Amino acid sequence: MKECNQVYDLRSALERLRSIPGQLVETDVQVDPAAELAGVYRHVGAGGTVMRPTRSGPAMLFNQIKGHPGARVAIGLLADRRRVAALLDSRPEELGKLLRDSVNHPVEPVLNSGGAPLCQQVVHRAEDPDFDLRRLVPAPTNTPDDAGPYITLGMCYASHPDTGVSDVTIHRLCLQGRDELSIFFTPGARHIGAMAERAEQLGQRLPISISIGVDPAIEIASCFEPPTTPLGFNELSIAGALRGQAVELAPCLTVKENCIANAEYVIEGEVIPGVRVQEDQNSHTGYAMPEFPGYTGPASDQCWLIKVKAVTHRQDPIMQTCIGPSEEHVSMAGIPTEASILDMVDKAMPGRLQNVYCASAGGGKFMAVLQFKKSVPSDEGRQRQAALLAFSAFSELKHIFLVDEDVDPFDMSDVLWAMNTRFQGDADILTIPGVRCHPLDPSNDPGCSPSIRDHGIACKTVFDCTAPFDQKERFHRARFLDVDPAHWVPELFPEV
């Protein structure tokens, strides 16, 4: 794909996609944000772990939203690895390496110095009698079982009460009332959760901004996790490195915090200490929303409460959303994990790990393919060490496939070919039972195995599909003549 206009916000990202055939579709047919919008996009381009039939396809822009005149909703911007590459001026197979390099060369965000930011062109304050978050923000309800309308791509930005260091992460946010949001913090998994806990210990409210509809580089960067980005590392600096230009922030109007200056929407509020919310208090369905493993998660009774102070937005704003189990989650969660594994393993054994793919079937979190090159006899066994390093750092990983450098890690058919021709179940499976993994995998439960003592514990498994180094000569693939097919069929191989 050829690089087109510079991407710096949601609108420029959409313009780039418009210039690339087949990457964006628009409709002026009115759609109901309550389950219908997600139901449409399931067929158009959701992919990922969404129930079949689905597929990976173009991003989509809905221009007529029922109950929200003047608003539009964009979905699926990152729901295809090739599209992510086009938006980040890269190639699909190089994305993990690009993000690894960006982490190592951060560009810190800066405060807006050019007058009123775009995100504050229109201001709605909660003190106004007609203020209603549910009317102002066209947040979709993905399925009829959902607890309510969810903001799925809100860049939550807050600062630590003690140190003042700031961070950005994505959390599930359910609209609960005219000026109330619930926010779910996975215990111990996100920095803003730690900030809220510390503020609660101090008896303080935590100011927070939620920026929606931003540069895709910010959405990808915000999904990095420890140990790559420890508490105190502002992931907006990764987005700055990706663009070669600092992300611009702006002061909020009603709380002492910053927001992303060119966002489409910003919700300003405070996390209230000592209050927990039943997530489905309005719907009573028992469910939250569809999560990345492909199941609808249970509603939590331990969500924190955000009291909303204001909603600001650009003229004719564009809401951005995603379907939880879609390929979009694979891109946002998986590519930063690929970058982190590449960086960690290369520091331990330089030059051996060629690439990493956090595959769609694992939702970007549960499964990784490590492409490993054995060059000398002493490299035998190091491929398994690389898998153990990845497991030790990223607790949510459950399965790792190891393949040689002649196997395409991004093609699961090629990975399974390696499994079928270079793997023996009695010799090449490594199991690590009783290890903490992810609570959203329903099989990580004592009901599924006697080795599991608590929900969220799993048996991590390595599938070593690499050829033994001392037998590599027996495993040469058929070698074809390397030619440029564009000479014969240019319409099938356009310039990239």
Side-chain angles (χ1 to χ4, degrees):
M1 296 177 181
K2 294 182 179 179
E3 179 182 344
C4 304
N5 61 296
Q6 181 184 358
V7 176
Y8 54 89
D9 63 0
L10 175 60
R11 298 188 187 201
S12 57
L14 290 169
E15 283 305 310
R16 176 168 292 191
L17 296 185
R18 282 191 181 97
S19 70
I20 305 172
Q23 291 300 320
L24 178 67
V25 295
E26 297 187 47
T27 179
D28 293 327
V29 178
Q30 188 182 80
V31 68
D32 193 330
E36 191 173 54
L37 187 149
V40 172
Y41 193 65
R42 168 197 174 190
H43 293 283
V44 172
T49 60
V50 171
M51 182 180 178
R52 274 49 183 166
T54 187
R55 64 173 183 167
S56 292
M60 193 166 183
L61 185 60
F62 293 87
N63 292 323
Q64 299 291 334
I65 310 300
K66 182 179 179 181
H68 297 274
R72 294 172 286 170
V73 175
I75 187 170
L77 258 74
L78 303 175
D80 183 284
R81 195 178 183 98
R82 295 166 300 172
R83 192 153 61 243
V84 176
L87 291 169
L88 295 183
D89 304 316
S90 183
R91 294 185 298 164
E93 65 274 16
E94 297 295 323
L95 287 169
K97 298 173 184 178
L98 172 67
L99 265 71
R100 174 199 60 193
D101 295 343
S102 297
V103 170
N104 291 325
H105 300 89
V107 176
E108 295 297 326
V110 296
L111 270 176
N112 171 338
S113 58
L118 291 171
C119 68
Q120 294 171 0
Q121 289 177 329
V122 181
V123 177
H124 307 272
R125 297 178 184 267
E127 61 201 37
D128 298 337
D130 60 346
F131 181 92
D132 193 329
L133 184 65
R134 297 161 296 189
R135 179 180 57 81
L136 293 170
V137 180
T141 304
N142 279 324
T143 79
D145 295 324
D146 284 13
Y150 275 92
I151 296 168
T152 55
L153 285 177
M155 306 300 112
C156 300
Y157 195 80
S159 303
H160 197 282
D162 295 328
T163 65
V165 298
S166 304
D167 196 8
V168 61
T169 55
I170 299 176
H171 297 271
R172 77 178 191 234
L173 301 151
C174 187
L175 277 60
Q176 298 290 355
R178 66 175 296 275
D179 62 351
E180 292 184 346
L181 278 172
S182 64
I183 182 168
F184 180 76
F185 295 126
T186 303
R190 295 290 187 274
H191 295 160
I192 290 182
M195 295 175 183
E197 289 172 356
R198 179 56 180 155
E200 186 171 70
Q201 291 172 356
L202 297 171
Q204 299 175 3
R205 297 185 173 201
L206 180 72
I208 189 170
S209 70
I210 302 159
S211 300
I212 309 164
V214 299
D215 181 350
I218 296 174
E219 294 161 354
I220 290 280
S222 69
C223 293
F224 271 93
E225 298 178 354
T228 305
T229 54
L231 185 62
F233 191 112
N234 189 336
E235 282 85 354
L236 288 181
S237 65
I238 303 173
L242 285 168
R243 295 298 184 209
Q245 182 176 337
V247 173
E248 193 173 88
L249 300 174
C252 293
L253 299 176
T254 61
V255 297
K256 191 177 180 180
E257 191 48 89
N258 296 318
C259 61
I260 297 169
N262 60 11
E264 294 288 328
Y265 288 89
V266 173
I267 298 173
E268 303 179 2
E270 296 173 325
V271 183
I272 307 300
V275 177
R276 300 296 182 268
V277 175
Q278 178 67 40
E279 199 165 11
D280 66 335
Q281 62 181 330
N282 295 314
S283 68
H284 306 291
T285 63
Y287 294 101
M289 59 169 284
E291 295 282 5
F292 73 91
Y295 300 91
T296 299
S300 173
D301 61 359
Q302 293 299 307
C303 289
W304 294 55
L305 177 67
I306 296 176
K307 200 71 173 177
V308 175
K309 298 295 185 181
V311 172
T312 71
H313 60 78
R314 296 172 69 155
Q315 295 286 355
D316 303 317
I318 304 172
M319 177 71 184
Q320 189 178 0
T321 189
C322 73
I323 296 176
S326 72
E327 190 71 15
E328 197 148 17
H329 187 280
V330 176
S331 297
M332 290 190 296
I335 298 172
T337 301
E338 294 166 15
S340 299
I341 294 173
L342 281 164
D343 193 50
M344 171 175 292
V345 174
D346 198 56
K347 287 175 180 175
M349 48 185 90
R352 293 171 176 86
L353 186 61
Q354 306 300 294
N355 220 326
V356 181
Y357 175 44
C358 290
S360 299
K365 282 183 175 285
F366 287 171
M367 182 172 73
V369 182
L370 275 59
Q371 184 191 47
F372 197 91
K373 183 177 181 179
K374 304 174 193 175
S375 300
V376 296
S378 61
D379 283 341
E380 185 60 63
R382 293 189 188 275
Q383 77 277 14
R384 299 185 180 191
Q385 180 187 353
L388 295 177
L389 281 170
F391 276 148
S392 67
F394 301 99
S395 64
E396 296 169 335
L397 274 177
K398 183 179 180 182
H399 295 143
I400 289 179
F401 288 78
L402 296 166
V403 298
D404 294 298
E405 70 272 19
D406 64 341
V407 176
D408 183 354
F410 300 98
D411 183 341
M412 289 309 297
S413 290
D414 215 30
V415 173
L416 292 178
W417 169 83
M419 174 177 251
N420 279 300
T421 63
R422 301 180 179 183
F423 168 91
Q424 292 295 323
D426 64 339
D428 295 319
I429 290 179
L430 289 75
T431 60
I432 313 171
V435 185
R436 180 63 60 180
C437 194
H438 202 294
L440 288 177
D441 178 349
S443 72
N444 295 348
D445 189 87
C448 290
S449 170
S451 73
I452 298 175
R453 302 190 63 173
D454 184 32
H455 187 78
I457 287 177
C459 177
K460 295 182 183 289
T461 306
V462 178
F463 301 90
D464 189 349
C465 306
T466 62
F469 182 80
D470 61 0
Q471 300 181 47
K472 287 191 78 168
E473 289 302 316
R474 297 180 53 241
F475 290 90
H476 280 304
R477 303 183 75 153
R479 302 175 188 179
F480 293 86
L481 183 66
D482 192 10
V483 299
D484 181 4
H487 179 69
W488 289 270
V489 279
E491 68 275 12
L492 298 182
F493 297 91
E495 182 185 353
V496 294

